[in-house]
Every structure is written in C-alpha cells, then in structure tokens.
mmCIF file of all heavy atoms in Angstrom:
data_model
loop_
_atom_site.group_PDB
_atom_site.id
_atom_site.type_symbol
_atom_site.label_atom_id
_atom_site.label_comp_id
_atom_site.label_asym_id
_atom_site.label_seq_id
_atom_site.Cartn_x
_atom_site.Cartn_y
_atom_site.Cartn_z
ATOM 1 N N GLY A 555 -37.118 -15.934 -99.683
ATOM 2 C CA GLY A 555 -37.864 -15.631 -98.472
ATOM 3 C C GLY A 555 -39.355 -15.644 -98.726
ATOM 4 O O GLY A 555 -39.839 -15.130 -99.735
ATOM 5 N N LYS A 556 -40.085 -16.268 -97.820
ATOM 6 C CA LYS A 556 -41.535 -16.322 -97.945
ATOM 7 C C LYS A 556 -42.157 -16.035 -96.589
ATOM 8 O O LYS A 556 -41.789 -16.657 -95.593
ATOM 9 C CB LYS A 556 -41.989 -17.693 -98.439
ATOM 10 C CG LYS A 556 -41.533 -17.988 -99.848
ATOM 11 C CD LYS A 556 -41.959 -19.356 -100.289
ATOM 12 C CE LYS A 556 -41.372 -19.602 -101.670
ATOM 13 N NZ LYS A 556 -41.171 -20.992 -101.951
ATOM 14 N N GLY A 557 -43.080 -15.102 -96.561
ATOM 15 C CA GLY A 557 -43.798 -14.807 -95.340
ATOM 16 C C GLY A 557 -45.025 -15.697 -95.229
ATOM 17 O O GLY A 557 -45.516 -16.229 -96.219
ATOM 18 N N ARG A 558 -45.513 -15.865 -94.006
ATOM 19 C CA ARG A 558 -46.675 -16.713 -93.778
ATOM 20 C C ARG A 558 -47.681 -15.947 -92.938
ATOM 21 O O ARG A 558 -47.316 -15.271 -91.978
ATOM 22 C CB ARG A 558 -46.245 -17.982 -93.063
ATOM 23 C CG ARG A 558 -47.350 -18.997 -92.924
ATOM 24 C CD ARG A 558 -46.819 -20.270 -92.367
ATOM 25 N NE ARG A 558 -46.536 -20.078 -90.945
ATOM 26 C CZ ARG A 558 -46.231 -21.059 -90.127
ATOM 27 N NH1 ARG A 558 -46.118 -22.285 -90.567
ATOM 28 N NH2 ARG A 558 -46.009 -20.816 -88.857
ATOM 29 N N VAL A 559 -48.927 -16.069 -93.292
ATOM 30 C CA VAL A 559 -50.000 -15.404 -92.555
ATOM 31 C C VAL A 559 -50.441 -16.308 -91.424
ATOM 32 O O VAL A 559 -50.773 -17.477 -91.644
ATOM 33 C CB VAL A 559 -51.190 -15.087 -93.486
ATOM 34 C CG1 VAL A 559 -52.328 -14.486 -92.700
ATOM 35 C CG2 VAL A 559 -50.758 -14.164 -94.603
ATOM 36 N N ILE A 560 -50.453 -15.766 -90.211
ATOM 37 C CA ILE A 560 -50.911 -16.504 -89.040
ATOM 38 C C ILE A 560 -52.139 -15.793 -88.501
ATOM 39 O O ILE A 560 -52.122 -14.588 -88.265
ATOM 40 C CB ILE A 560 -49.807 -16.579 -87.965
ATOM 41 C CG1 ILE A 560 -48.598 -17.329 -88.528
ATOM 42 C CG2 ILE A 560 -50.316 -17.262 -86.705
ATOM 43 C CD1 ILE A 560 -47.399 -17.343 -87.627
ATOM 44 N N GLY A 561 -53.197 -16.517 -88.319
ATOM 45 C CA GLY A 561 -54.430 -15.951 -87.811
ATOM 46 C C GLY A 561 -55.340 -15.476 -88.935
ATOM 47 O O GLY A 561 -55.066 -15.681 -90.118
ATOM 48 N N LEU A 562 -56.427 -14.853 -88.551
ATOM 49 C CA LEU A 562 -57.393 -14.352 -89.533
ATOM 50 C C LEU A 562 -56.831 -13.144 -90.279
ATOM 51 O O LEU A 562 -56.141 -12.317 -89.707
ATOM 52 C CB LEU A 562 -58.699 -13.973 -88.844
ATOM 53 C CG LEU A 562 -59.482 -15.137 -88.210
ATOM 54 C CD1 LEU A 562 -60.695 -14.607 -87.461
ATOM 55 C CD2 LEU A 562 -59.902 -16.133 -89.267
ATOM 56 N N ASP A 563 -57.185 -13.074 -91.550
ATOM 57 C CA ASP A 563 -56.744 -11.954 -92.394
ATOM 58 C C ASP A 563 -57.902 -11.573 -93.309
ATOM 59 O O ASP A 563 -57.885 -11.854 -94.498
ATOM 60 C CB ASP A 563 -55.509 -12.364 -93.197
ATOM 61 C CG ASP A 563 -54.917 -11.215 -93.995
ATOM 62 O OD1 ASP A 563 -55.140 -10.051 -93.604
ATOM 63 O OD2 ASP A 563 -54.249 -11.478 -95.000
ATOM 64 N N GLU A 564 -58.883 -10.932 -92.733
ATOM 65 C CA GLU A 564 -60.115 -10.624 -93.480
ATOM 66 C C GLU A 564 -59.900 -9.582 -94.571
ATOM 67 O O GLU A 564 -60.476 -9.679 -95.649
ATOM 68 C CB GLU A 564 -61.201 -10.173 -92.506
ATOM 69 C CG GLU A 564 -61.604 -11.284 -91.550
ATOM 70 C CD GLU A 564 -62.546 -10.790 -90.471
ATOM 71 O OE1 GLU A 564 -62.896 -9.601 -90.478
ATOM 72 O OE2 GLU A 564 -62.923 -11.607 -89.624
ATOM 73 N N ASP A 565 -59.068 -8.586 -94.300
ATOM 74 C CA ASP A 565 -58.883 -7.522 -95.289
ATOM 75 C C ASP A 565 -57.656 -7.732 -96.177
ATOM 76 O O ASP A 565 -57.398 -6.947 -97.085
ATOM 77 C CB ASP A 565 -58.789 -6.160 -94.598
ATOM 78 C CG ASP A 565 -57.607 -6.056 -93.643
ATOM 79 O OD1 ASP A 565 -57.004 -7.093 -93.340
ATOM 80 O OD2 ASP A 565 -57.313 -4.926 -93.212
ATOM 81 N N GLY A 566 -56.870 -8.789 -95.934
ATOM 82 C CA GLY A 566 -55.717 -9.101 -96.771
ATOM 83 C C GLY A 566 -54.465 -8.315 -96.432
ATOM 84 O O GLY A 566 -53.461 -8.413 -97.140
ATOM 85 N N SER A 567 -54.488 -7.545 -95.359
ATOM 86 C CA SER A 567 -53.319 -6.729 -95.006
ATOM 87 C C SER A 567 -52.150 -7.597 -94.533
ATOM 88 O O SER A 567 -50.992 -7.285 -94.819
ATOM 89 C CB SER A 567 -53.682 -5.700 -93.939
ATOM 90 O OG SER A 567 -54.092 -6.351 -92.752
ATOM 91 N N LYS A 568 -52.458 -8.674 -93.821
ATOM 92 C CA LYS A 568 -51.382 -9.563 -93.365
ATOM 93 C C LYS A 568 -50.718 -10.259 -94.552
ATOM 94 O O LYS A 568 -49.506 -10.435 -94.560
ATOM 95 C CB LYS A 568 -51.923 -10.612 -92.397
ATOM 96 C CG LYS A 568 -52.266 -10.082 -91.028
ATOM 97 C CD LYS A 568 -52.689 -11.221 -90.136
ATOM 98 C CE LYS A 568 -53.016 -10.749 -88.731
ATOM 99 N NZ LYS A 568 -53.411 -11.874 -87.864
ATOM 100 N N LEU A 569 -51.499 -10.638 -95.549
ATOM 101 C CA LEU A 569 -50.943 -11.269 -96.738
ATOM 102 C C LEU A 569 -50.038 -10.297 -97.489
ATOM 103 O O LEU A 569 -48.948 -10.660 -97.928
ATOM 104 C CB LEU A 569 -52.047 -11.783 -97.661
ATOM 105 C CG LEU A 569 -51.587 -12.424 -98.972
ATOM 106 C CD1 LEU A 569 -50.740 -13.651 -98.684
ATOM 107 C CD2 LEU A 569 -52.769 -12.768 -99.837
ATOM 108 N N ASP A 570 -50.479 -9.047 -97.617
ATOM 109 C CA ASP A 570 -49.652 -8.032 -98.277
ATOM 110 C C ASP A 570 -48.334 -7.834 -97.538
ATOM 111 O O ASP A 570 -47.272 -7.732 -98.149
ATOM 112 C CB ASP A 570 -50.394 -6.697 -98.367
ATOM 113 C CG ASP A 570 -51.581 -6.751 -99.307
ATOM 114 O OD1 ASP A 570 -51.605 -7.642 -100.178
ATOM 115 O OD2 ASP A 570 -52.475 -5.893 -99.165
ATOM 116 N N GLN A 571 -48.412 -7.803 -96.215
ATOM 117 C CA GLN A 571 -47.198 -7.637 -95.413
ATOM 118 C C GLN A 571 -46.280 -8.853 -95.564
ATOM 119 O O GLN A 571 -45.064 -8.698 -95.686
ATOM 120 C CB GLN A 571 -47.547 -7.436 -93.939
ATOM 121 C CG GLN A 571 -46.346 -7.190 -93.069
ATOM 122 C CD GLN A 571 -46.708 -6.988 -91.611
ATOM 123 O OE1 GLN A 571 -47.837 -7.258 -91.197
ATOM 124 N NE2 GLN A 571 -45.763 -6.519 -90.832
ATOM 125 N N ALA A 572 -46.846 -10.041 -95.571
ATOM 126 C CA ALA A 572 -46.040 -11.259 -95.734
ATOM 127 C C ALA A 572 -45.333 -11.258 -97.087
ATOM 128 O O ALA A 572 -44.164 -11.653 -97.185
ATOM 129 C CB ALA A 572 -46.924 -12.497 -95.596
ATOM 130 N N ILE A 573 -45.997 -10.803 -98.125
ATOM 131 C CA ILE A 573 -45.388 -10.736 -99.460
ATOM 132 C C ILE A 573 -44.245 -9.728 -99.462
ATOM 133 O O ILE A 573 -43.170 -9.989 -100.003
ATOM 134 C CB ILE A 573 -46.456 -10.401 -100.526
ATOM 135 C CG1 ILE A 573 -47.413 -11.584 -100.687
ATOM 136 C CG2 ILE A 573 -45.810 -10.040 -101.855
ATOM 137 C CD1 ILE A 573 -48.640 -11.286 -101.509
ATOM 138 N N ARG A 574 -44.466 -8.550 -98.836
ATOM 139 C CA ARG A 574 -43.412 -7.531 -98.770
ATOM 140 C C ARG A 574 -42.199 -8.031 -97.986
ATOM 141 O O ARG A 574 -41.056 -7.830 -98.404
ATOM 142 C CB ARG A 574 -43.945 -6.250 -98.134
ATOM 143 C CG ARG A 574 -44.840 -5.431 -99.027
ATOM 144 C CD ARG A 574 -45.080 -4.039 -98.466
ATOM 145 N NE ARG A 574 -45.478 -4.011 -97.074
ATOM 146 C CZ ARG A 574 -46.736 -4.103 -96.622
ATOM 147 N NH1 ARG A 574 -47.726 -4.242 -97.482
ATOM 148 N NH2 ARG A 574 -46.991 -4.051 -95.337
ATOM 149 N N VAL A 575 -42.439 -8.696 -96.862
ATOM 150 C CA VAL A 575 -41.340 -9.217 -96.046
ATOM 151 C C VAL A 575 -40.568 -10.274 -96.833
ATOM 152 O O VAL A 575 -39.332 -10.299 -96.828
ATOM 153 C CB VAL A 575 -41.867 -9.798 -94.710
ATOM 154 C CG1 VAL A 575 -40.802 -10.617 -93.999
ATOM 155 C CG2 VAL A 575 -42.365 -8.682 -93.812
ATOM 156 N N GLY A 576 -41.260 -11.156 -97.537
ATOM 157 C CA GLY A 576 -40.604 -12.183 -98.345
ATOM 158 C C GLY A 576 -39.757 -11.583 -99.448
ATOM 159 O O GLY A 576 -38.624 -12.037 -99.689
ATOM 160 N N LYS A 577 -40.262 -10.555 -100.114
ATOM 161 C CA LYS A 577 -39.488 -9.894 -101.170
ATOM 162 C C LYS A 577 -38.238 -9.238 -100.596
ATOM 163 O O LYS A 577 -37.159 -9.315 -101.181
ATOM 164 C CB LYS A 577 -40.342 -8.844 -101.887
ATOM 165 C CG LYS A 577 -41.340 -9.418 -102.850
ATOM 166 C CD LYS A 577 -42.116 -8.319 -103.534
ATOM 167 C CE LYS A 577 -43.156 -8.870 -104.482
ATOM 168 N NZ LYS A 577 -43.946 -7.809 -105.115
ATOM 169 N N HIS A 578 -38.384 -8.573 -99.445
ATOM 170 C CA HIS A 578 -37.233 -7.901 -98.839
ATOM 171 C C HIS A 578 -36.190 -8.918 -98.372
ATOM 172 O O HIS A 578 -34.983 -8.707 -98.553
ATOM 173 C CB HIS A 578 -37.673 -7.012 -97.681
ATOM 174 C CG HIS A 578 -36.538 -6.243 -97.085
ATOM 175 N ND1 HIS A 578 -35.875 -5.247 -97.761
ATOM 176 C CD2 HIS A 578 -35.916 -6.354 -95.885
ATOM 177 C CE1 HIS A 578 -34.911 -4.758 -97.001
ATOM 178 N NE2 HIS A 578 -34.915 -5.426 -95.856
ATOM 179 N N MET A 579 -36.636 -10.026 -97.770
ATOM 180 C CA MET A 579 -35.692 -11.047 -97.327
ATOM 181 C C MET A 579 -34.944 -11.645 -98.521
ATOM 182 O O MET A 579 -33.735 -11.857 -98.461
ATOM 183 C CB MET A 579 -36.424 -12.153 -96.567
ATOM 184 C CG MET A 579 -36.850 -11.752 -95.182
ATOM 185 S SD MET A 579 -37.775 -13.049 -94.344
ATOM 186 C CE MET A 579 -36.547 -14.316 -94.203
ATOM 187 N N SER A 580 -35.653 -11.896 -99.607
ATOM 188 C CA SER A 580 -35.012 -12.425 -100.809
ATOM 189 C C SER A 580 -33.992 -11.436 -101.355
ATOM 190 O O SER A 580 -32.890 -11.820 -101.756
ATOM 191 C CB SER A 580 -36.061 -12.736 -101.877
ATOM 192 O OG SER A 580 -36.932 -13.737 -101.437
ATOM 193 N N TYR A 581 -34.353 -10.161 -101.347
ATOM 194 C CA TYR A 581 -33.430 -9.118 -101.804
ATOM 195 C C TYR A 581 -32.181 -9.088 -100.923
ATOM 196 O O TYR A 581 -31.050 -9.010 -101.427
ATOM 197 C CB TYR A 581 -34.123 -7.759 -101.804
ATOM 198 C CG TYR A 581 -33.177 -6.613 -102.029
ATOM 199 C CD1 TYR A 581 -32.687 -6.334 -103.294
ATOM 200 C CD2 TYR A 581 -32.752 -5.820 -100.974
ATOM 201 C CE1 TYR A 581 -31.797 -5.293 -103.506
ATOM 202 C CE2 TYR A 581 -31.868 -4.782 -101.166
ATOM 203 C CZ TYR A 581 -31.398 -4.515 -102.436
ATOM 204 O OH TYR A 581 -30.517 -3.496 -102.641
ATOM 205 N N GLN A 582 -32.377 -9.161 -99.605
ATOM 206 C CA GLN A 582 -31.228 -9.143 -98.703
ATOM 207 C C GLN A 582 -30.301 -10.330 -98.948
ATOM 208 O O GLN A 582 -29.085 -10.171 -99.014
ATOM 209 C CB GLN A 582 -31.689 -9.164 -97.246
ATOM 210 C CG GLN A 582 -32.160 -7.829 -96.735
ATOM 211 C CD GLN A 582 -32.497 -7.901 -95.268
ATOM 212 O OE1 GLN A 582 -33.148 -8.823 -94.808
ATOM 213 N NE2 GLN A 582 -32.051 -6.898 -94.520
ATOM 214 N N LEU A 583 -30.883 -11.518 -99.083
ATOM 215 C CA LEU A 583 -30.065 -12.719 -99.268
ATOM 216 C C LEU A 583 -29.312 -12.705 -100.593
ATOM 217 O O LEU A 583 -28.137 -13.044 -100.654
ATOM 218 C CB LEU A 583 -30.930 -13.971 -99.187
ATOM 219 C CG LEU A 583 -31.501 -14.307 -97.806
ATOM 220 C CD1 LEU A 583 -32.478 -15.459 -97.906
ATOM 221 C CD2 LEU A 583 -30.402 -14.628 -96.830
ATOM 222 N N MET A 584 -29.979 -12.335 -101.663
ATOM 223 C CA MET A 584 -29.374 -12.453 -102.988
ATOM 224 C C MET A 584 -28.568 -11.223 -103.408
ATOM 225 O O MET A 584 -27.635 -11.341 -104.194
ATOM 226 C CB MET A 584 -30.450 -12.734 -104.039
ATOM 227 C CG MET A 584 -31.181 -14.046 -103.820
ATOM 228 S SD MET A 584 -30.106 -15.479 -103.783
ATOM 229 C CE MET A 584 -29.700 -15.644 -105.492
ATOM 230 N N GLU A 585 -28.910 -10.042 -102.904
ATOM 231 C CA GLU A 585 -28.258 -8.811 -103.362
ATOM 232 C C GLU A 585 -27.355 -8.177 -102.303
ATOM 233 O O GLU A 585 -26.213 -7.850 -102.585
ATOM 234 C CB GLU A 585 -29.311 -7.790 -103.808
ATOM 235 C CG GLU A 585 -30.247 -8.286 -104.899
ATOM 236 C CD GLU A 585 -29.533 -8.627 -106.195
ATOM 237 O OE1 GLU A 585 -28.516 -7.989 -106.509
ATOM 238 O OE2 GLU A 585 -29.980 -9.555 -106.881
#
C-alpha cells in the first residue's frame, strides 16, 4: 500500500499521513 499526497503540503503532514496509511494498508493485506 502506498499513499499519495494531493495538493500542497507545506508542513509535510499530508506526506506523514500518506506514509502511515500505506503502512497500515500493507499490514492489513499481508498480516
């Protein structure tokens, strides 16, 4: 699972959220 940032992300919070969502989706699929 990989999250994608849409729109501006000046403080990097959207990128952090996308990484967390991708990790959780990968965990759900594989575990």
Side-chain angles (χ1 to χ4, degrees):
K556 294 178 184 153
R558 187 173 73 170
V559 176
I560 298 174
L562 294 175
D563 185 24
E564 295 173 1
D565 61 348
S567 62
K568 287 184 179 181
L569 178 62
D570 292 339
Q571 183 180 13
I573 291 169
R574 285 193 311 273
V575 167
K577 284 181 182 178
H578 183 67
M579 285 177 65
S580 297
Y581 170 77
Q582 281 184 315
L583 291 173
M584 298 303 286
E585 303 298 328

